[in-house]
Amino acid sequence: MKFVLNQIGLRFLLNLGINNQLDLQTSVRVQLANLVAILGIFSNIQYSILFLIVGAPNVRIMNIIHLFVIVSLSCALFLNLKAKYSIARIVLIFTISVPLVFVSLISFGNSCGFYYYFLVFALAPFVLFSYEEKFWILFVFVLNNLFYIWFEFFGTPGNFIEGTLLYDPFVQELFRINSVVSCIFFVALIMFYFLRNTNRIQKEMIRTNEHKDRIFSILAHDLKGPIGTMNSFLGYLTESVTEKEELLIALKELKKSTNQSFLVLENLLDWVRNESKNITSQLESLNLHHVIDNAKEILELQATDKGIQWQVQIPNQMQVYCDERMISTVIRNLLSNAIKFSHPNGSVSIEAKQNGNYVELCISDLGIGMTVDQIKQIDEGKPFPTSFGTQGEKGTGLGLLVCMEMLKNQGGRMQIKSRVHQGTKILIQLPSVVLN
């Protein structure tokens, strides 16, 4: 179905004016407005041809009106494209009733059932406008119902020319049946589309609530530990005169807690930005060796306290084409995880090699490893329960998810190879800068 819609360009037309800045409910209303405009354009073209065939009264005037309506509905689509959503809806609701008024006044009267469409158009504003725009909903609803009542109870039959197809009562009855079926079809199509998007809104609300709960959980648990540690050591330093050795120990613990809090907050903020589609990348040429060194420097105290040895094999002049903040966050996360899940006095290996237009970076450890289910959840982009490091270190469960999304935004990718109790190897592929 999607392939067919793409081939005929209908999906493109339905999504005119949709962008990442719109909330989901507004996007749904814009899509429904586009759908109504498209149906209106199609119907006016269809009836212009049909009226010529059956010999409808004043057919030339009606075709001029149809042309005006087609242009107006096309303008509504254009206004949506230019993000003039409110004006587009107002143009739409006034335009769709115009041909019906003239059809019933100068051509068909209350014959053939065209005035039934007023009942459909009376319902349209309920899906096109938000509750805050209730004036327009009420106005259009009442106006179209008044049109229907007038033609139903006070209208007169059309005066058809003898010898034309339309003069035949059977043809008139076919038009009436077509009007009823078309009305039901249009209502069903719009409501189906509305229900489909309502389901999307409900899923989005569930996802948003889950994200909110996860954020509160991280703030309540993963930041509570390091901030509590900082508070305890600061209290100790301010309430007593300490020896130099004790002071150094306290300062080291404060630095570790600060680094841990910073990484948690950075991951949390990057995750929220990515989920809200509010993350952008600025690609530039970067020296990979320098990026690795900067990440190691931030984590040096954490590695030293655990006795972790670095084994680095990165060519000094190797260049990657990445966003500096993003790639720094990715590498800090991967190195922090490697330290966290390595056994004391272990080692972390960092290697890189050129492979065509990409640089392949490998970060590996011999720590506790990961389960198949954990790797599957990461590959599917699903948060998973936090796990503790070999010395009780806590994490948010977001680090690797943030890494995967950031790498995608830079044209890179990540692959995880791991077995429980046998360590983890992270392979990341980054666009490179080929030096002449």
Side-chain angles (χ1 to χ4, degrees), residues 320-378:
V320 292
Y321 191 62
C322 297
D323 180 286
E324 184 173 9
R325 187 188 67 83
M326 287 188 183
I327 194 60
S328 296
T329 300
V330 168
I331 291 174
R332 268 200 309 273
N333 268 289
L334 297 180
L335 294 184
S336 177
N337 281 346
I339 295 169
K340 184 192 307 179
F341 297 112
S342 289
H343 298 291
N345 302 315
S347 64
V348 173
S349 173
I350 309 169
E351 302 176 7
K353 63 179 181 179
Q354 189 77 36
N355 186 0
N357 294 326
Y358 289 90
V359 167
E360 292 183 348
L361 176 65
C362 176
I363 298 175
S364 58
D365 62 73
L366 299 174
I368 60 177
M370 303 172 67
T371 65
V372 174
D373 287 339
Q374 284 178 318
I375 296 174
K376 183 179 179 181
Q377 284 181 293
I378 294 168

Side-chain angles (χ1 to χ4, degrees), residues 2 8-9 26 41 46 57 82 88 96 143 171 185 199 236 287 296 326 341 347 388 426:
K2 290 182 179 180
I8 64 177
T26 304
I41 292 170
Q46 171 195 351
K82 295 299 181 180
I96 55 179
L143 181 65
V171 174
F185 172 76
N199 185 53
Y236 171 71
N287 184 293
K296 283 172 51 190
M326 287 188 183
F341 297 112
S347 64
F388 292 92
I426 307 288

Side-chain angles (χ1 to χ4, degrees), residues 32-101:
L32 286 168
N34 290 336
L35 177 61
V36 172
I38 293 167
L39 290 174
I41 292 170
F42 174 78
S43 296
N44 277 272
I45 293 173
Q46 171 195 351
Y47 280 118
S48 292
I49 298 170
L50 199 57
F51 289 169
L52 279 173
I53 295 172
V54 299
N58 302 309
V59 67
R60 291 183 180 178
I61 297 174
M62 283 308 308
N63 282 343
I64 292 173
I65 295 169
H66 285 147
L67 179 61
F68 165 78
V69 171
I70 291 168
V71 171
S72 297
L73 294 177
S74 300
C75 286
L77 291 174
F78 180 75
L79 288 168
N80 275 340
L81 178 63
K82 295 299 181 180
K84 307 291 184 181
Y85 307 119
S86 297
I87 300 175
R89 287 197 294 270
I90 293 171
V91 169
L92 184 63
I93 59 172
F94 280 110
T95 302
I96 55 179
S97 299
V98 168
L100 289 183
V101 173

Side-chain angles (χ1 to χ4, degrees), residues 207-224:
R207 190 175 72 91
T208 300
N209 285 332
E210 289 176 347
H211 290 174
K212 178 196 67 177
D213 294 341
R214 188 165 188 85
I215 289 170
F216 287 155
S217 175
I218 290 168
L219 293 175
H221 299 289
D222 297 322
L223 284 178
K224 183 178 179 181

Side-chain angles (χ1 to χ4, degrees), residues 114-385:
F114 285 105
Y115 61 95
Y116 295 156
Y117 285 102
F118 286 121
L119 296 177
V120 177
F121 297 152
L123 299 176
F126 289 94
V127 296
L128 294 179
F129 291 92
S130 65
Y131 177 75
E132 288 73 20
E133 299 169 300
K134 47 185 173 290
F135 166 78
W136 287 110
I137 296 175
L138 182 62
F139 175 76
V140 176
F141 177 77
V142 171
L143 181 65
N144 279 279
N145 273 287
L146 288 175
F147 280 139
Y148 172 79
I149 292 171
W150 172 263
F151 288 110
E152 176 68 52
F153 297 103
F154 304 103
T156 57
N159 186 18
F160 305 118
I161 301 172
E162 188 174 355
T164 62
L165 287 174
L166 202 52
Y167 188 78
D168 187 345
F170 178 72
V171 174
Q172 295 178 32
E173 192 62 29
L174 287 179
F175 268 102
R176 185 180 298 277
I177 293 171
N178 176 71
S179 297
V180 172
V181 172
S182 297
C183 286
I184 295 173
F185 172 76
F186 287 153
V187 170
L189 182 61
I190 291 173
M191 294 309 298
F192 177 80
Y193 202 82
F194 180 74
L195 288 173
R196 170 182 172 270
N197 287 286
T198 300
N199 185 53
R200 286 173 56 199
I201 292 173
Q202 290 175 338
K203 289 182 178 179
E204 181 68 16
M205 290 176 63
I206 293 171
R207 190 175 72 91
T208 300
N209 285 332
E210 289 176 347
H211 290 174
K212 178 196 67 177
D213 294 341
R214 188 165 188 85
I215 289 170
F216 287 155
S217 175
I218 290 168
L219 293 175
H221 299 289
D222 297 322
L223 284 178
K224 183 178 179 181
I227 292 175
T229 301
M230 286 189 281
N231 184 61
S232 298
F233 276 102
L234 285 172
Y236 171 71
L237 291 175
T238 56
E239 292 173 4
S240 63
V241 179
T242 57
E243 297 292 334
K244 182 178 179 180
E245 185 177 344
E246 293 175 338
L247 178 62
L248 289 174
I249 293 173
L251 290 175
K252 284 183 179 180
E253 290 298 323
L254 284 171
K255 190 175 189 320
K256 283 171 59 180
S257 296
T258 302
N259 286 342
Q260 185 178 349
S261 300
F262 174 77
L263 194 59
V264 169
L265 279 174
E266 187 177 48
N267 285 338
L268 181 59
L269 291 173
D270 284 329
W271 182 64
V272 170
R273 286 194 197 102
N274 181 72
E275 291 298 318
S276 61
K277 309 300 181 185
N278 195 28
I279 188 168
T280 57
S281 58
Q282 297 179 345
L283 304 180
E284 58 182 320
S285 177
L286 301 171
N287 184 293
L288 183 59
H289 199 281
H290 290 167
V291 175
I292 298 289
D293 282 345
N294 290 337
K296 283 172 51 190
E297 184 178 349
I298 293 173
L299 299 169
E300 190 63 43
L301 183 59
Q302 182 182 343
T304 301
D305 283 354
K306 205 167 183 178
I308 302 298
Q309 299 295 319
W310 302 110
Q311 296 180 359
V312 182
Q313 297 182 29
I314 307 286
N316 289 331
Q317 300 304 317
M318 180 168 280
Q319 301 285 317
V320 292
Y321 191 62
C322 297
D323 180 286
E324 184 173 9
R325 187 188 67 83
M326 287 188 183
I327 194 60
S328 296
T329 300
V330 168
I331 291 174
R332 268 200 309 273
N333 268 289
L334 297 180
L335 294 184
S336 177
N337 281 346
I339 295 169
K340 184 192 307 179
F341 297 112
S342 289
H343 298 291
N345 302 315
S347 64
V348 173
S349 173
I350 309 169
E351 302 176 7
K353 63 179 181 179
Q354 189 77 36
N355 186 0
N357 294 326
Y358 289 90
V359 167
E360 292 183 348
L361 176 65
C362 176
I363 298 175
S364 58
D365 62 73
L366 299 174
I368 60 177
M370 303 172 67
T371 65
V372 174
D373 287 339
Q374 284 178 318
I375 296 174
K376 183 179 179 181
Q377 284 181 293
I378 294 168
D379 289 338
E380 293 175 352
K382 298 177 181 178
F384 55 90

